[in-house]
Amino acid sequence: MSRVRAILLAAGKGTRMKSERPKVLHEVCGRPMLWYVLRALQGAGIEDILVVTSDELDPHVASLGVRSVVQAQQLGTGHAVQVALSALETLAGGRILIASGDMPLVPAELFARVLERLDDRTASPALAFATARMPLPSNFGRVLRRGNALERIVEVRDASADELAVDEMNAAIYAFDEERLRDAVAHLQCDNAQGEYYLTDTVKHLTQSGQRVTPVLCDDYLQVLGINDRVELAIARRKMNERLCAQHMRDGVTIIDPVTTYLEPELVIGQDTIIYPNTSIGRLSQIGKSSTIGPNARLSMAKLGDRVTVRDSVIVESMVGSDVTIGPFAHLRGNTCLADGVSIGNFVEVKKSQLARGVKASHLTYLGDATIGENTNVGAGTITCNYDGTQKHPTTIGRDAFIGSNSALVAPVTIGDGALVGAGAVVTKDVAAGDRVVGNPARSIGR
Ligand code: UD1
Ligand code: CA
């Protein structure tokens, strides 16, 4: 069996999105639509993929690790395939799978199934393509038969009322015998309502010349939903999110309300973790076992250990150990790193700081550019004054220190192990280990 190559159509203007951004780059659960289709193709074992792009889309495709060819003028899906074929070397006995970049819900199995039907030795079809039954009205091309035999596909704008009543649709996933594809696209005309070269007209060409075309019915039309506007984009997002939640629930995660839990692909969530409503988890976040996340949590590029509690809080680009509690109403960001057993409470913001094991900052605190040693207690209302108007400066606090309520630590400043800062102090100079300071500016009152 010869190798399969794929052509992914993605050059269309996507006018109905009403957007500056190329359609296939619009995101569904945190990934561009195109990303999902590429992943499904790879899941079906197809590595050799050529994406047909527009000038605007082309610069974005290289980062997805696939080849592309620009279709400078979008003259229709048939024209897009002509452009792709002229960029692909001719392979005797080759097979070409064609799909669109705007169907993010497509599963790898469907690609595999359509290819399998092309390989049917007895029928030896020139083309196998996916179809789906769909509620009417629909904008999909209709699959027309004469008696039992497949005849052609008609686009909605060219269809008669009788043809529009047909509910078997062209899903726009095609597996072609390469030689016969090259021949069929060379014969395309643009004598239709849109004045475009339709790839779908290859069906008529093939059936009229006595070649076999095999429809492959897919049983869930949502799998092949082509996204053309933002209403359909929202439908795809909801469906994809349902799938992502279901997958994690099957893997042992409790999701109280999947409808208000917003996930992305490629997350790691450990067994017996419970996710409460109104929570979004994205950008390659990882959560350990037996943790409690939400309600009202947002995690992005967050890595959490086991038995972590996060309530009503935001964690962005940060790492958290095990047995940590965060929130309610806390904000961790900028490569913050919390060791095991840390406790971050109400209205606490931690930016680009390292907190060692057992540190507590329970109320109304800002810690920025700080390094804090084991078991230190940061009192309510403590602020690291890390910004002097032009530059950021570090604050270093040792282990077992006690920072009294409402202290201002003016950076750069170092507070030694076991030191005590009295409530309301304004610390402008370093404090030695074991020393006690009070007042504004803070002065030593001895050990
Ligand atoms: C197409 C099919 C229709 C099918 C539907 C399923 C044709 C003529 N019609 O219609 O039968 O039911 O998909 O979703 O093929 N594209 C290009 N270059 C172009 C035009 C389009 O690359 O010149 C790309 C688009 O970016 C898109 C795909 O081809 O990814 C399909 O184009 P679109 O305009 O969305 O076709 P539909 O009208 O949805
Ligand atoms: Ca479409």
Side-chain angles (χ1 to χ4, degrees), residues 323-327 338-345 348 355 358-362:
D323 303 294
V324 170
T325 66
I326 296 163
L338 307 185
D340 295 349
V342 166
S343 175
I344 297 296
V348 174
L355 274 54
V359 168
K360 288 191 175 57
S362 299

Side-chain angles (χ1 to χ4, degrees), residues 5-9 50-52 67-71 77-91 94-98 176-188 199 202:
R5 292 178 294 176
I7 296 173
L8 200 49
L9 305 181
L50 180 65
V51 184
V52 180
R67 280 198 297 154
S68 63
V69 59
V70 175
Q71 181 194 17
T77 49
H79 177 254
V81 170
Q82 286 169 353
V83 169
L85 286 175
S86 51
L88 290 176
E89 60 159 331
T90 307
L91 271 189
R95 295 173 298 157
I96 294 194
L97 188 108
I98 302 174
F176 277 97
D177 166 72
E178 180 179 337
E179 194 185 337
R180 290 184 278 186
L181 170 64
R182 285 187 187 271
D183 175 64
V185 294
H187 284 87
L188 291 178
L199 178 61
T202 55

Side-chain angles (χ1 to χ4, degrees), residues 276-281 293-299 310-314:
Y276 284 91
N278 264 327
T279 290
S280 49
I281 304 174
I293 312 296
N296 311 311
R298 182 162 71 81
L299 271 55
V310 180
R311 289 191 209 286
D312 306 282
S313 292
V314 175

Side-chain angles (χ1 to χ4, degrees), residues 400-403 415-422 429-438 442-447:
D400 300 308
F402 185 93
I403 312 297
I415 295 169
D417 293 345
L420 183 144
V421 173
K429 293 199 187 104
D430 291 354
V431 178
D435 202 4
R436 297 189 295 166
V437 299
V438 295
R443 295 161 283 107
S444 173
I445 53 167
R447 297 176 164 249

Side-chain angles (χ1 to χ4, degrees), residues 16 23 100 102 139-140 172 225-228 232:
R16 288 165 280 180
K23 178 170 80 170
S100 300
D102 64 354
N139 288 321
F140 277 53
L225 190 66
I227 307 307
N228 295 315
E232 289 166 340

Side-chain angles (χ1 to χ4, degrees), residues 370-387:
T371 305
I372 305 181
E374 281 184 27
N375 298 322
T376 283
N377 186 81
V378 179
T382 297
I383 304 293
T384 54
C385 311
N386 61 332
Y387 185 52

